[in-house]
Amino acid sequence: MTNQESQAQKTASHKRNTADLIVECLVNEGVEVVFGIPGEENIPLLEAIERNGNIRFVLTRHEQGAGFMAATYAHITGKPGVCLATLGPGALNLTLPVAQANASTTPLVAICAQGNVSRLYKESHQIIDLVALFQPITQWSSMMLAPSTAPEMVRKAFSIAQRKRPGATCLVIPEDISEMSVPEDAKPLPLPKPLHILPAPDTIYEAAKIISQAKRPIILAGNGVARSHAQKQLLDFAEQLNVPVATTFEGKGVFPDNHPNALGVVGFMHRDYENFAFDTADLIIAVGFSIQQFDPKKINPNIDKTIIHINTFVEDTDAHYPTALNIMADIAQTLKALTSVLKDRNVTFDVTHPKIRQMITDELRSFENDNSIPMKPQRVVYDTRRAVAEGTKVLVDTGALKMWMARLYPTMHPNTCIIDNSLSTMAWTLPGAVGASFIKDNSGKINTKPVLAVMGDGSFMMNVQEIETAVRVGSRMVVLVWEDNAYGLIKWKMDLHAGEHEYVDFTNPNVPKLAESFGARGHVVQKPEDLYNMLKEALAQESGVDVIACPVDYSENMKLIEKLGDIDFGN
């Protein structure tokens, strides 16, 4: 008897249980892939996934990797990502990516196994209160205590994850509950139609009145624009007003950096070029913005700006973000309605900052011909941008490189330069690239275009084991490691704080050989022209994983601070 025949025989004799019903509910929700690690208590669910055959289970090397894969998949597709862990240690390992997803308004459903209900009341082996554990870092956390509740609880987990303020949810499933039989007529709940809340006309008119009375308005765009697919409406809105647009790190690409009205990003740890545009503004129109993405104190230190907040949810309270008007509605429809009213009233301005745009461009190109090794950060960003085709997904990790990539990497489309600046988690991009590689194109096939993960050497070593996952599952991805043998961002901040640093330096393994030991292709930049050539060639490969180690000279960090401190925009 073949394995297939044996499996078919087992399936035929199997009595449908709660785990089967849960998987049916996941399929009903549109889930196509689940990332995770097996454990004794989630075996029933894994067996049900295998029996069902409609969901691909991706075995990872760490639950943290599974969570980051699911979160990145969700961030790009807008559909909830799903990750799976067992009880106790497995669930604890999921907490970081779950918290990251929740902070960055990314829809994520974490499913954690639990021990039998009969031992949850006592201090039993590997038992911790998972519902309480996940409560502070999710929108909703609950445990299934009866088979009949499966359809409602799965639907609720996905519904809350996708509501007006998306985020993470956690569903805990005890092992004995998952193995209980369910009635034959038990089935998933029907999905509701998508909800699009239209802005109230009087609110639009009030916003138009505030805007028309302003003298120097400015737009601040966050990741809510990408989440709502409102980039075209934002472009039309900005062009109608003829005002500058700055984005948060997480909003990169929602407004094209090559547009005359583009200012680039705000979010640098000290004042940057864009801040000067906010200094002179009297009105901030915040679109898809949340204060977790960026501290509003940096652009409204004196609390003297009028602020219009446009998003799907009300912003949290902040003394430096006092909103004159909140518009809680579909972002695309709100911008469309507002643009129409302003056009009818012929409201337009001439607020441009060409000097700021020119300074960003000049800085990007300042070391394009520099031949030093280690490479200057500016040249690394410049050559990366030259090598990367438009539309390629670039995931930027946390560290000193995030500051350089966020500030200088020109981005024209949403979700083509993805940065976590809400929780600012390290080491998410390598597993994140694996998750992104499972996204399907418009024809329903797995997208074979490469994904680029840009990481520091500190981040790289934190989840390096997921290279094996990437190779095993056939991910098409490239990892660019900026090497400086230190936690570069903390070194930078220590130098700013006290003029010296300690406890931040380390040594690295041979990165190319390490990559090759996992089955990937390893490369090392030995002369400046190598980077562009290696990236270009690696991104052109049809299959496999490439890892490129590039030595970086971060002495430019302090020079940048000195340069920004000397800028005078007074004339």
Side-chain angles (χ1 to χ4, degrees):
M1 182 183 295
T2 66
N3 287 337
Q4 283 185 328
E5 290 172 333
S6 176
Q7 183 63 41
Q9 195 175 71
K10 288 180 182 178
T11 301
S13 62
H14 170 74
K15 188 174 182 180
R16 184 167 172 253
N17 60 22
T18 309
D20 292 305
L21 180 56
I22 291 169
V23 172
E24 291 166 19
C25 291
L26 294 178
V27 172
N28 183 59
E29 295 288 344
V31 176
E32 297 174 326
V33 58
V34 172
F35 306 91
I37 292 183
E40 183 180 344
E41 286 74 17
N42 63 23
I43 289 175
L45 195 59
L46 289 164
E47 291 176 338
I49 289 174
E50 182 67 20
R51 280 191 296 270
N52 183 278
N54 289 300
I55 294 176
R56 178 170 180 178
F57 180 76
V58 176
L59 173 67
T60 67
R61 300 305 300 267
H62 195 283
E63 289 87 357
Q64 190 179 108
F68 287 138
M69 291 176 199
T72 305
Y73 177 93
H75 180 98
I76 296 173
T77 64
K79 301 187 300 182
V82 181
C83 49
L84 175 66
T86 191
L87 81 174
L92 284 163
N93 284 342
L94 266 187
T95 55
L96 178 57
V98 167
Q100 180 212 35
N102 203 54
S104 60
T105 60
T106 299
L108 179 80
V109 176
I111 300 175
C112 296
Q114 182 58 289
N116 291 346
V117 173
S118 60
R119 64 188 183 96
L120 296 185
Y121 70 94
K122 56 186 177 182
E123 296 175 353
S124 185
H125 178 62
Q126 291 192 311
I127 295 295
I128 57 172
D129 187 343
L130 297 182
V131 174
L133 173 72
F134 282 94
Q135 220 148 28
I137 56 173
T138 60
Q139 305 279 354
W140 177 77
S141 173
S142 190
M143 182 162 60
M144 191 176 294
L145 292 174
S148 61
T149 64
E152 289 181 339
M153 295 193 77
V154 172
R155 177 83 280 274
K156 186 170 184 177
F158 279 80
S159 175
I160 292 176
Q162 300 173 87
R163 65 184 181 184
K164 290 187 291 184
R165 180 167 190 152
T169 60
C170 180
L171 183 56
V172 180
I173 306 171
E175 182 182 15
D176 53 345
I177 298 295
S178 67
E179 293 184 296
M180 291 180 182
S181 60
V182 293
E184 288 187 10
D185 60 351
K187 61 183 179 180
L189 299 181
L191 304 184
K193 292 182 179 180
L195 181 64
H196 297 286
I197 302 175
L198 300 180
D202 58 339
T203 307
I204 294 296
Y205 294 137
E206 177 64 20
K209 179 182 177 182
I210 294 172
I211 293 170
S212 64
Q213 292 174 346
K215 290 183 171 56
R216 297 185 66 83
I218 189 171
I219 297 171
L220 175 61
N223 66 2
V225 177
R227 190 176 62 246
S228 301
H229 305 287
Q231 55 270 18
K232 182 185 182 302
Q233 289 78 12
L234 176 63
L235 181 64
D236 293 343
F237 179 59
E239 289 182 339
Q240 168 58 36
L241 288 180
N242 191 28
V243 297
V245 180
T247 74
T248 63
F249 280 23
E250 293 189 7
K252 267 188 79 69
V254 300
F255 194 81
D257 280 334
N258 59 357
H259 193 281
N261 293 46
L263 285 177
V265 301
V266 292
F268 188 50
M269 55 187 176
H270 286 262
R271 290 179 61 83
D272 207 343
Y273 307 128
E274 298 80 9
N275 292 70
F276 294 98
F278 283 91
D279 287 348
T280 58
D282 60 347
L283 170 66
I284 298 174
I285 306 169
V287 185
F289 170 77
S290 59
I291 60 175
Q292 279 178 299
Q293 298 177 55
F294 173 66
D295 182 1
K297 183 177 182 179
K298 293 180 180 179
I299 53 173
N300 190 22
N302 301 319
I303 319 177
D304 56 354
K305 317 290 184 190
T306 301
I307 298 174
I308 296 176
H309 177 81
I310 301 172
N311 211 333
T312 55
F313 55 88
V314 177
E315 189 44 74
D316 201 356
T317 303
D318 188 288
H320 294 269
Y321 195 75
T323 52
L325 182 66
N326 288 291
I327 304 179
M328 303 300 105
D330 181 273
I331 294 174
Q333 293 300 321
T334 299
L335 293 176
K336 186 176 180 180
L338 197 48
T339 302
S340 178
V341 171
L342 292 168
K343 186 174 183 179
D344 289 343
R345 297 185 182 185
N346 197 30
V347 177
T348 187
F349 301 86
D350 185 17
V351 184
T352 58
H353 294 277
K355 187 175 180 181
I356 290 176
R357 282 180 44 79
Q358 188 58 49
M359 294 184 81
I360 295 172
T361 301
D362 290 347
E363 187 181 329
L364 173 63
R365 305 195 65 147
S366 59
F367 286 90
E368 63 177 295
N369 296 314
D370 184 83
N371 290 318
S372 57
I373 284 286
M375 294 178 68
K376 299 293 192 293
Q378 297 93 324
R379 173 146 189 192
V380 177
V381 177
Y382 180 76
D383 283 353
T384 300
R385 177 68 272 192
R386 284 201 304 135
V388 173
E390 200 57 58
T392 300
K393 307 295 185 190
V394 179
L395 315 182
V396 180
D397 220 292
T398 293
L401 83 162
K402 180 173 78 171
M403 301 301 176
W404 291 103
M405 285 290 289
R407 294 178 64 254
L408 298 182
Y409 185 86
T411 308
M412 314 315 162
H413 305 285
N415 288 332
T416 57
C417 182
I418 303 173
I419 299 173
D420 169 28
N421 206 47
S422 290
L423 198 60
S424 288
T425 311
M426 290 181 71
W428 70 272
T429 57
L430 198 163
V434 179
S437 72
F438 281 90
I439 294 170
K440 293 184 177 180
D441 59 23
N442 294 332
S443 68
K445 296 180 180 179
I446 294 290
N447 195 335
T448 56
K449 291 182 179 179
V451 180
L452 174 62
V454 183
M455 322 181 69
D457 44 9
S459 294
F460 177 71
M461 290 302 295
M462 290 181 178
N463 271 318
V464 69
Q465 70 278 354
E466 300 302 346
I467 294 178
E468 189 279 331
T469 305
V471 172
R472 171 169 35 87
V473 302
S475 295
R476 174 74 281 269
M477 55 186 270
V478 179
V479 183
L480 174 60
V481 183
W482 291 34
E483 280 194 303
D484 70 321
N485 298 291
Y487 291 114
L489 182 60
I490 305 306
K491 178 185 283 191
W492 191 353
K493 292 198 173 187
M494 282 182 172
D495 288 342
L496 282 170
H497 184 262
E500 58 183 5
H501 55 264
E502 55 276 317
Y503 313 123
V504 290
D505 297 304
F506 49 72
T507 58
N508 284 316
N510 186 313
V511 170
K513 289 188 181 301
L514 178 61
E516 289 165 3
S517 73
F518 286 116
R521 293 180 289 263
H523 317 268
V524 60
V525 172
Q526 295 179 320
K527 50 187 185 299
E529 57 267 30
D530 286 349
L531 177 59
Y532 171 77
N533 294 330
M534 287 176 178
L535 271 175
K536 193 77 174 173
E537 183 177 346
L539 291 166
Q541 297 290 329
E542 293 184 359
S543 62
V545 177
D546 289 86
V547 179
I548 302 171
C550 179
V552 178
D553 175 12
Y554 276 133
S555 64
E556 289 295 307
N557 293 352
M558 294 302 292
K559 294 177 184 177
L560 174 63
I561 298 297
E562 293 168 7
K563 177 182 177 182
L564 293 176
D566 289 338
I567 293 174
D568 181 10
F569 276 82
N571 48 43

